[in-house]
Amino acid sequence: MSLRRSIYKSPAQLRAMVEPGLITAAALDAVREMIAPGVTTGELDAAASALITARGAKSNFQMVRGYRHTICASVNEQVVHGIPGDRALEPGDILSIDAGAEYKGWNGDSAFTFVVPDPARPEVVAERQHLSDVTAGSLWAGIASLATAKHLGEIGAAIQEHIETHSPETGTYGILREYVGHGIGRKMHESPSVFNYRVSDPGPEVRPGLVLAIEPMVVIGDQATYVEDDGWTVSTIDGTAGSHWEHSVAVHDGGIWVLTAPDGGAAGLAPFGVTPQEIS
Ligand code: MG
Ligand code: MG
């Protein structure tokens, strides 16, 4: 008998992951509604924390060793793992928010990017909004590929393909290589790794029971990053802006369902001709 937990979950376990996914989505909605110039990332963190607590859940980020916050808030050249605090948002900032909830022992994990309006710098806003739109599109392309993929490697190929074909003429966007998506379930981070780019290994089989947190991290310039002195924040070396989008997605007998989207991913998947199916 293997002591290793299977990466494939039972139908009952998949059903248990619906509520933490919805709580995670609600926490991110609460943050999204608050974003405005002058609001601090610490205030956004408090809003997410209050929502998760009110729903009877726990912040799974707070259970990560050494991390005390409910969200990660990454601004401009910060791509992921930014620590919320006193920083006030400014017009034109591109902000990625990542959060997750644990409910009855099961986890959700999701992220989105938002560009703060700036009438004085329309070209900066447009450049950053395009980055966010392409990153989100690559996430949906990856999720859509799950509906028909035989192996996990097809997801990363779909994500990379989308980014390469939608990058601006000024240069192909960079895809972070050192940070990847993951399985999710009893723990926020489980096997397998979900790459956001093509790899030679086809990876594990895609079949009912697989639950993945897919999370492309994309930058305007070069993908090389460093960790800031705070020990967490991942920023681009060339200083160009980054975007991070993430959803937790289940493969089940009837198809796929995006756990961290209230519509199961229907809107995001529609352009790809994929209809999510509720977990029964
Ligand atoms: Mg996350
Ligand atoms: Mg994640």
Side-chain angles (χ1 to χ4, degrees):
M1 193 186 96
S2 170
L3 292 172
R4 221 140 133 245
R5 186 183 284 149
S6 168
I7 63 169
Y8 304 101
K9 294 167 175 74
S10 71
Q13 291 174 324
L14 297 184
R15 285 193 292 274
M17 294 191 69
V18 170
E19 190 60 20
L22 292 173
I23 297 169
T24 299
L28 290 177
D29 280 346
V31 171
R32 194 183 284 107
E33 285 167 16
M34 277 185 69
I35 295 174
V39 173
T40 69
T41 54
E43 289 167 336
L44 301 178
D45 186 72
S49 185
L51 188 291
I52 289 172
T53 304
R55 294 281 289 261
K58 288 188 271 189
S59 160
N60 47 26
F61 283 30
Q62 289 188 20
M63 290 180 247
V64 173
R65 192 187 171 95
Y67 200 76
R68 292 188 207 88
H69 306 278
T70 298
I71 64 171
C72 289
S74 308
V75 185
N76 298 340
E77 77 286 355
Q78 303 172 350
V79 191
V80 287
H81 302 170
I83 302 176
D86 295 337
R87 182 173 185 158
L89 296 176
E90 294 179 20
D93 278 349
I94 180 170
L95 167 72
S96 296
I97 300 289
D98 192 353
E102 187 197 271
Y103 182 75
K104 295 186 176 173
W106 295 92
N107 288 276
D109 187 8
S110 184
F112 71 93
T113 295
F114 192 95
V115 182
V116 181
D118 184 358
R121 294 188 301 160
E123 55 311 306
V124 171
V125 169
E127 182 187 47
R128 292 176 169 186
Q129 189 61 52
H130 189 261
L131 171 70
S132 175
D133 291 347
V134 172
T135 307
S138 76
L139 168 61
W140 289 110
I143 295 170
S145 75
L146 248 195
T148 52
K150 299 258 184 298
H151 292 91
L152 192 58
E154 292 169 56
I155 285 80
I159 291 170
Q160 182 173 352
E161 168 82 15
H162 186 93
I163 292 163
E164 286 173 349
T165 54
H166 292 79
S167 288
E169 284 173 17
T170 44
T172 305
Y173 289 152
I175 305 172
L176 266 58
R177 293 298 199 271
E178 293 171 73
Y179 302 89
V180 297
H182 48 92
I184 181 166
R186 285 282 188 196
K187 292 195 290 181
M188 180 168 56
H189 295 124
E190 298 185 351
S191 290
S193 290
V194 183
F195 300 100
N196 296 309
Y197 43 90
R198 289 181 203 94
V199 291
S200 53
D201 182 352
E205 205 187 330
V206 173
R207 56 180 169 85
L210 192 63
V211 187
L212 304 173
I214 304 175
E215 50 177 317
M217 290 152 265
V218 183
V219 299
I220 288 176
D222 189 84
Q223 65 89 22
T225 57
Y226 71 102
V227 177
E228 291 186 16
D229 290 340
D230 60 25
W232 289 98
T233 310
V234 175
S235 296
T236 56
I237 290 174
D238 66 12
T240 60
S243 172
H244 177 214
W245 282 83
E246 176 177 27
H247 273 303
S248 302
V249 189
V251 181
H252 61 100
D253 288 330
I256 62 168
W257 185 255
V258 179
L259 297 159
T260 44
D263 69 351
L269 289 166
F272 300 91
V274 173
T275 305
Q277 303 296 327
E278 239 170 302
I279 298 168
S280 55

